[in-house]
Amino acid sequence: AEKAGRAGLLRLWGGAMGAPAPARGFFESLSVAGLIATYGVFLIVGGAWGAITTGALHSLYMGAACGLLVLGCAFLASFSGDAKMVSAGVHADLLFALLFGGVFALQAYKAYGDPRKADRFPLFVVLVAGSASHLVAMVRMKPKKQKAEKDKKGKQ
């Protein structure tokens, strides 16, 4: 029973005893979904920070809405057995992160130098930096093509 349990655990980690690891394992997709979920929580916390520091509750509402939208992308990306679901979640997240980063950058630009909006400027700078780092991290996690696949395509 213990041996069967270990074999199941090894399969869960992406490879059974002596068998080659699958091309796209459970934890590879889970790490992408975890990164997306972290960004969603970051947006929720950013919205709460904006509500606390400025007293504007719409910051909390929009942070929660955007964060929940991104958490939905993380949910889609967590389906490691279905490449289309993972792809849909990842690509939707990339679009949202690009959109949110652009909006935060525009808001930071508008708040810069305006004494009435001086309390919001640091929040927008942090949100732009977080969105940009998320995009960079997601691009760096992009799966690399296997060398054997490149060689096959080159010979045909």
Side-chain angles (χ1 to χ4, degrees):
E2 184 180 334
K3 207 175 218 182
R6 273 194 266 182
L9 185 61
L10 285 173
R11 274 192 296 280
L12 181 67
W13 280 90
M17 298 177 221
R24 187 138 174 96
F26 174 76
F27 286 101
E28 184 178 350
S29 291
L30 189 61
S31 65
V32 169
L35 181 62
I36 296 171
T38 303
Y39 179 59
V41 171
F42 169 77
L43 291 173
I44 294 169
V45 169
W49 177 25
I52 290 168
T53 58
T54 65
L57 282 180
H58 69 276
S59 176
L60 176 64
Y61 302 147
M62 291 311 295
C66 293
L68 289 173
L69 191 62
V70 170
L71 287 174
C73 294
F75 176 73
L76 288 176
S78 69
F79 287 94
S80 61
D82 190 351
K84 288 181 182 179
M85 293 287 270
V86 173
S87 181
V90 167
H91 287 95
D93 170 67
L94 289 170
L95 287 173
F96 288 136
L98 190 61
L99 174 71
F100 298 155
V103 169
F104 297 143
L106 180 65
Q107 291 296 331
Y109 176 76
K110 287 181 177 181
Y112 182 73
D114 187 349
R116 293 174 296 141
K117 299 178 181 180
D119 57 342
R120 297 177 217 166
F121 181 70
L123 169 67
F124 291 131
V125 168
V126 168
L127 290 172
V128 168
S131 296
S133 348
H134 175 67
L135 283 169
V136 167
M138 288 296 290
V139 168
R140 291 192 70 195
M141 289 187 79
K142 180 180 178 188
K144 308 290 186 263
K145 290 191 177 196
Q146 299 294 330
K147 187 175 181 179
E149 288 178 12
K150 287 182 184 178
D151 289 344
K152 269 190 208 175
K153 289 181 183 177
K155 290 180 183 177
Q156 290 179 1

